[in-house]
Amino acid sequence: MDANYFDLSDDTPVYVISVAAQLSGLHPQTLRQYDRLGLVSPGRTAGRGRLYSTRDIVMLREVQRLSQEEGINLAGIKRILALETENLRMREELGRLRSEMAMIRALIQYQLPPA
């Protein structure tokens, strides 16, 4: 057997809905509702059954926390999650651009004669 056979990432969809419901502390129907609303997007089996990843389980717990503890409605939660995703994307882009700027500065510094 390949050594990487069970090397799964947090994004690998492996949990059927009943297991995901137990792990998240939610009812399977709630998971279906969250999927329909686009709050969590599980993977699919060939037969179109839902498969949840570890990251999905964490997201389900966060949706439940925001709803129960913070009193935020599902539309608000969807917006918060979208903004957090966009924020993460922008931070990654900023990091990439900073690295690129540092490289350009280094190239310019070594190509220009000292002042």
Side-chain angles (χ1 to χ4, degrees), residues 14-105:
V14 293
Y15 303 108
V16 295
I17 193 166
S18 60
V19 174
Q22 285 182 331
L23 292 172
S24 65
L26 300 169
H27 192 278
Q29 191 60 33
T30 304
L31 273 61
R32 290 184 192 95
Q33 178 186 14
Y34 289 177
D35 183 15
R36 281 191 298 275
L37 293 172
L39 294 171
V40 177
S41 299
R44 299 288 179 166
T45 65
R48 302 296 297 150
R50 291 170 176 87
L51 284 179
Y52 292 83
S53 68
T54 301
R55 193 172 313 278
D56 292 331
I57 303 299
V58 170
M59 185 67 68
L60 289 166
R61 289 178 181 169
E62 178 64 5
V63 169
Q64 186 68 359
R65 186 192 69 76
L66 289 169
S67 174
Q68 297 297 313
E69 295 176 18
E70 304 294 333
I72 302 170
N73 66 28
L74 294 179
I77 293 170
K78 185 173 183 175
R79 183 69 179 139
I80 288 168
L81 296 177
L83 289 170
E84 286 180 347
T85 299
E86 179 65 8
N87 186 4
L88 179 60
R89 188 197 64 73
M90 291 176 75
R91 285 175 181 268
E92 289 170 351
E93 179 71 5
L94 179 60
R96 188 189 65 74
L97 290 172
R98 283 182 172 160
S99 296
E100 192 174 308
M101 287 291 297
M103 187 182 338
I104 291 169
R105 284 185 179 130

